[in-house]
Amino acid sequence: MEYVHSVWSYLASICNCWQCTEDPGAQPNEPNERTHLLVDPVNHSPALRRSNSDGLSTDYAHSLPKKDDQNALSRLVQNTAINMINVGAMDCHSLEHQEYADRIRLYSQRLHQQWNNGQHASIAPKGLLKDVPSHQFYLSKPTYPDDTAQMKLFTEKAHISVSHIQIDHKEAVVVPFRIP
Amino acid sequence: MEQQLEKVLAEIAARQDTVGALLANRQGLCLGTKGDIDPNVSGIGMAISEQVAKLELNATAPATICLYSGNKRCVIQKDGEITGVIFKQPTGTSATAPSN
């Protein structure tokens, strides 16, 4: 029984070694989510590099992955520089005059392009009142002679008819109270 | 009592291009209406005619006020103690052409 258990543990260790050999093979082919962008940052620090005697061999061993990391990093930095206007880095004192002028021209072109792409509002109507028609249209309106004649006839007849209004009393205005 | 007044209003409103006629007293109260006209217009018409009369204090003839709104017009005249208001709208068939 003890002999069988030792054989089983030996087989398990062989399988573990096989899995270990599988991982390093996958890394150089294509980077995945577990790929480190910086190779051994501790070993690359200046303090340890001076004291470490075999640093040169370490650089030779990691030459290929280092290139891939540098390419990815440079591509990322380039994309960021192209797409973003870094306002924090715009220090007038530290920038040279030529670079400052170049940046002004570049940013003006970008803003102008964005402004042209946007939808502009239509030209707003002038003046405060928008629903009042032109006054010239109504100033040219004539006075109709028929209106004047009709109104004159109306007022004349109205005077006569109003003067003929008479009040017909139908009931007594004063009614005696019934005092028992 | 006001049969004769109603007869005059009916006569004025009987014309084809007249929408309504109204008569107001000196306080702006409505004496009578005929046609499609609101009795509450009497006070407004009287006030308008009083204000217009102040433009020319020495005028002998009463002023005839004509208000335009689209194709409708409102004629107001205050003569003595009576104010007359007539609403007019030209009809399609018998619209009278303006003659200067």
Side-chain angles (χ1 to χ4, degrees):
Chain A
M1 190 66 181
E2 182 178 0
Y3 181 76
V4 171
H5 185 73
S6 64
V7 170
W8 178 258
S9 63
Y10 176 72
L11 288 175
S13 64
I14 291 175
C15 292
N16 289 332
C17 291
W18 181 70
Q19 288 179 357
C20 290
T21 56
E22 184 71 18
D23 283 342
Q27 285 183 358
N29 294 335
E30 57 181 2
N32 51 14
E33 64 276 6
R34 294 180 180 275
T35 304
H36 296 282
L37 294 178
L38 299 177
V39 180
D40 289 336
V42 178
N43 288 336
H44 283 275
S45 63
L48 290 180
R49 187 169 294 180
R50 295 193 189 96
S51 62
N52 196 354
S53 60
D54 57 349
L56 191 62
S57 62
T58 305
D59 290 341
Y60 287 152
H62 295 282
S63 61
L64 185 58
K66 190 173 181 180
K67 283 188 177 180
D68 288 340
D69 293 341
Q70 285 184 350
N71 290 336
L73 185 60
S74 62
R75 185 167 59 257
L76 184 64
V77 171
Q78 186 178 1
N79 288 338
T80 303
I82 290 171
N83 295 328
M84 186 173 68
I85 297 175
N86 192 356
V87 179
M90 293 177 65
D91 193 356
C92 300
H93 299 286
S94 63
L95 287 177
E96 296 181 358
H97 182 67
Q98 185 62 30
E99 188 176 0
Y100 184 71
D102 290 342
R103 286 196 181 187
I104 287 177
R105 195 184 327 107
L106 179 62
Y107 295 157
S108 298
Q109 287 177 0
R110 288 186 182 179
L111 289 177
H112 195 64
Q113 184 178 0
Q114 291 293 330
W115 185 255
N116 286 334
N117 292 337
Q119 298 291 335
H120 293 293
S122 62
I123 298 175
K126 297 181 179 179
L128 294 176
L129 301 177
K130 301 177 182 178
D131 59 339
V132 175
S134 175
H135 66 281
Q136 299 294 340
F137 174 74
Y138 288 100
L139 285 179
S140 62
K141 286 283 188 178
T143 302
Y144 293 87
D146 291 345
D147 293 347
T148 308
Q150 186 184 13
M151 179 58 72
K152 187 175 181 182
L153 181 68
F154 184 33
T155 51
E156 286 178 354
K157 291 194 173 185
H159 272 292
I160 297 171
S161 60
V162 166
S163 64
H164 280 67
I165 293 178
Q166 298 177 2
I167 300 173
D168 298 333
H169 300 279
K170 297 182 179 179
E171 292 181 3
V173 177
V174 180
V175 179
F177 276 72
R178 294 183 180 181
I179 303 176
Chain B
M1 295 190 304
E2 61 272 3
Q3 295 175 1
Q4 192 169 356
L5 179 61
E6 289 181 355
K7 188 184 299 181
V8 172
L9 287 168
E11 180 184 348
I12 296 297
R15 294 179 57 163
Q16 193 168 2
D17 58 347
T18 301
V19 176
L22 179 143
L23 198 68
N25 66 357
R26 65 178 178 274
Q27 282 97 9
L29 301 177
C30 180
L31 291 176
T33 60
K34 188 69 176 179
D36 187 9
I37 187 169
D38 192 349
N40 296 318
V41 174
S42 61
I44 299 171
M46 191 276 298
I48 290 174
S49 59
E50 277 195 344
Q51 296 301 322
V52 170
K54 296 177 182 177
L55 296 177
E56 295 183 4
L57 297 178
N58 298 326
T60 55
T64 301
I65 303 141
C66 196
L67 305 174
Y68 289 90
S69 175
N71 63 341
K72 300 179 182 177
R73 60 184 184 275
C74 171
V75 188
I76 304 171
Q77 189 184 50
K78 178 175 165 58
D79 190 1
E81 298 184 350
I82 291 173
T83 303
V85 180
I86 300 178
F87 280 3
K88 297 178 77 79
Q89 179 174 9
T91 54
T93 56
S94 67
T96 57
S99 60
N100 293 324

